[in-house]
Amino acid sequence: MESLDPRINRLKSKAEWDEEIQKSAMDQFETYEVFIQIRENRPYEHVGIMHAPNEEMALIFGKEQYSRRYTCTGIFVVRTDHVKITAFSENEENIYEHMDLNGIQDGGESFEIFHLKKRGKQHIHVGKVEAGDYEGALSVSANLYNIGTPVYNVWVVKTSDILSIPPEDKMIWDTLPEKKFRDAMAYKAGDKIKEFKERNQK
Amino acid sequence: MNVEALKDLLYKIADDQLILGHRNSEWTGLGPLLEEDIAFSSMAQDKVGQSYAFYQLLEQLGEQKPDTIAFHRSAENFKNCQLVELPNQEYDFSLIRHFLFDKAELLRFELLSQSSYEPLALLSKKLLGEVRYHVMHADAFIKQLGSATEESILRLQTSLNEALPYALGIFEPSDLEMDIINDGIFAGEEALKERWIETVFTTISKTELNLADIDSITPIYGGRRGIHTEHLQPLLNEMTEVLNLDPSAEW
């Protein structure tokens, strides 16, 4: 059944977990999902999409695109079609309770789990799990991280599909704190324009 | 401590950043990709912001206010190297200049973070992060386009050959060079150049590009003494165009 909301149809999400379904890429370059950490020890949050010819450039572009106006402590990117997504739940329902999960829980691969807990907001990193496949990762996550308010949607990403800034380059976050000159808001011209108009009227 | 030597050094650094920041900002809205347009423009803003920080250091040493220094001097009073004032040309040249200049800038700030003049050491340490990203950006581009297609390699190689003599002009020694070194303010242009050649070579050797024998190239000097190409004064005229409509206006 198609949703009345075109955004949901675009996501091609189904009610059941289906590993074949992934977030669809756009037509220009490859697309990458960008996640930012605002402060040390805060979870990474999804901030948007980046068009780029490859992973390295996605990271380079994403850094300026999403952190130039604010101080920030980390960034990583992952190719859009490496993000596996669950269906969206409705109302206040928890998506974990609507999934019949049969994946392989045992296994040495590590996955990152992202939850959507506020509609209209973005996915936030909740933790890492070890499992044999994506569905198994969801099962483990259902036991570990399904706490508190309902989860409306889950993203699962292999840790090995993530590209981040290496620790030795962490200093790039240490920038000049004075960034006001970058904002149009900081140029207070209103009073001057008013004064100019008044002067011309006289 | 020789204050005149220190001021000369600060002028060189600040003027380089202001002029290159302005040049690079000319790409705003015209960049090859939206994403790169944003990144390159943002780095240009970083450069102008950094020049402001250095002009403030000069003000503390008794020079005029940053705005006055930046906007009320004619070309012959600027101490930037000629590399930064050259027109942008095609994107390949702008990228190569960005690569050659920022590599030197990062090493300069690394050396200056050990400076005996503490305000300079602190500021340089603070700026390392921004310039480190600029170099990551430059390296990523040069590594990829330097081994991509026949056209990209040829374009970068041509620009590299053209830019190198000017890039060596970054390291034009000042008459007061020995004072700066002896006072522990800065390790000096020659020491900087040695390190720069090494790091430029490291990146270039990962590509299909060739780096000419540096010793066989005659550096283009003059910028540090106020001798500039015909391109600097028009840049300054444009930069101060609005200001000069009414120099007494308050901003």
Side-chain angles (χ1 to χ4, degrees), chain B residues 84-146:
Chain B
V84 297
E85 70 201 42
L86 297 174
N88 282 334
Q89 305 185 42
E90 300 267 340
Y91 211 66
D92 46 74
F93 183 79
S94 289
L95 271 181
I96 281 286
R97 170 166 56 190
H98 161 57
F99 166 73
L100 295 173
F101 179 82
D102 284 53
K103 286 242 181 205
E105 195 76 332
L106 181 60
L107 294 168
R108 188 184 290 276
F109 289 160
E110 278 171 12
L111 291 171
L112 286 175
S113 60
Q114 313 291 326
S115 175
S116 60
Y117 183 57
E118 211 187 336
L120 178 57
L122 289 174
L123 177 60
S124 301
K125 234 177 260 173
K126 192 70 203 154
L127 297 179
L128 279 175
E130 280 180 2
V131 183
R132 176 77 159 241
Y133 168 76
H134 297 188
V135 169
M136 276 171 75
H137 173 278
D139 273 346
F141 261 96
I142 299 304
K143 262 188 265 172
Q144 294 184 36
L145 292 178

Side-chain angles (χ1 to χ4, degrees), chain A residues 29 50-51 54 56-57 60-61 63-65 68 165 168-169 171-172 174-176 181-182 192, chain B residues 33 35-36 38-39 42 45-46 49 126-130 132-133 136-137 140-141 144 250-251:
Chain A
F29 282 155
M50 199 74 232
H51 278 108
N54 58 38
E56 186 184 4
M57 293 317 292
I60 294 278
F61 289 152
K63 189 263 171 194
E64 277 313 85
Q65 178 75 58
R68 71 188 184 281
I165 300 280
E168 66 267 25
D169 286 326
M171 66 193 303
I172 66 167
D174 187 15
T175 60
L176 285 183
F181 65 92
R182 289 167 171 275
K192 282 166 187 156
Chain B
L33 309 166
E35 291 77 3
E36 171 63 358
I38 291 168
S42 180
Q45 279 191 316
D46 283 346
K126 192 70 203 154
L127 297 179
L128 279 175
E130 280 180 2
R132 176 77 159 241
Y133 168 76
M136 276 171 75
H137 173 278
F141 261 96
Q144 294 184 36
E250 269 185 51
W251 290 86

Side-chain angles (χ1 to χ4, degrees), chain B residues 147-207:
Chain B
S147 39
T149 66
E150 205 178 315
E151 186 190 2
S152 73
I153 295 163
L154 179 66
R155 275 175 173 268
L156 285 185
Q157 186 68 59
T158 310
S159 288
L160 180 61
N161 297 346
E162 187 191 343
L164 267 178
Y166 288 98
L168 291 171
I170 296 173
F171 314 106
E172 176 180 355
S174 114
D175 293 336
L176 305 169
E177 197 74 12
M178 284 324 290
D179 288 355
I180 291 178
I181 297 169
N182 293 336
D183 286 344
I185 296 172
F186 177 49
E189 300 296 333
E190 194 56 34
L192 176 60
K193 189 175 93 180
E194 292 303 314
R195 286 160 207 245
W196 176 81
I197 292 170
E198 205 174 299
T199 166
V200 166
F201 181 76
T202 304
T203 306
I204 295 292
S205 63
K206 292 175 187 156
T207 68

